[in-house]
Amino acid sequence: MPGTRKLNKATDNRIAMLRNLVTSLLENGRIVTTVTRAKEARCMADKMITLGKKNTLQSRRAALAYITKEDVVTKLFSEIAPKYAERNGGYTRVLKMGVRQGDAAPMAVLELVD
């Protein structure tokens, strides 16, 4: 179930981390992170793209409240969301990469679907 992973972080730290992951994903198109973080960030990224598809003032303000950079919100509403206008969800994918060298944490690539 999305939104129930605690990721061994306090609530405010976890929310800030997910906001940064989603902002970076929308800014760059793909990010490399651990599998569990990618699965959590995927849910919020899909919600932000759905807000972008609505393209109302209320949805823009809701996106600005979550995404940390204004230029990323502009990119979301002008470039990313129109690309997915005919798609009903599934805007991102998680590709597993293997394990991280230092602590053997399972790594994944979170990217926007073309």
Side-chain angles (χ1 to χ4, degrees):
M1 183 182 315
T4 58
R5 294 181 183 94
K6 293 192 177 182
L7 303 174
N8 290 329
K9 294 194 175 293
T11 303
D12 53 349
N13 293 341
R14 182 175 59 250
I15 291 170
M17 180 196 61
L18 290 174
R19 287 177 66 188
N20 287 329
L21 285 174
V22 170
T23 302
S24 296
L25 174 65
L26 295 175
E27 186 175 24
N28 302 317
R30 70 185 313 176
I31 56 172
V32 178
T33 184
T34 62
V35 173
T36 53
R37 288 180 183 180
K39 287 180 179 179
E40 276 299 304
R42 174 181 56 185
C43 299
M44 289 310 299
D46 285 351
K47 287 180 184 179
M48 291 300 116
I49 293 172
T50 303
L51 282 176
K53 285 172 56 176
K54 291 180 185 176
N55 201 10
T56 62
L57 180 61
Q58 180 181 3
S59 62
R60 185 175 290 269
R61 286 180 177 169
L64 277 168
Y66 192 82
I67 298 172
T68 58
K69 297 180 182 176
E70 275 189 47
D71 56 336
V72 175
V73 173
T74 304
K75 180 180 178 182
L76 170 66
F77 279 82
S78 63
E79 298 173 20
I80 298 171
K83 187 168 70 170
Y84 298 114
E86 299 299 319
R87 191 176 183 106
N88 295 325
Y91 313 115
T92 57
R93 69 173 151 229
V94 176
L95 302 172
K96 294 182 182 177
M97 289 178 40
V99 295
R100 186 162 49 198
Q101 183 81 28
D103 59 355
M107 298 298 288
V109 175
L110 177 63
E111 63 184 8
L112 296 173
V113 175
D114 291 335

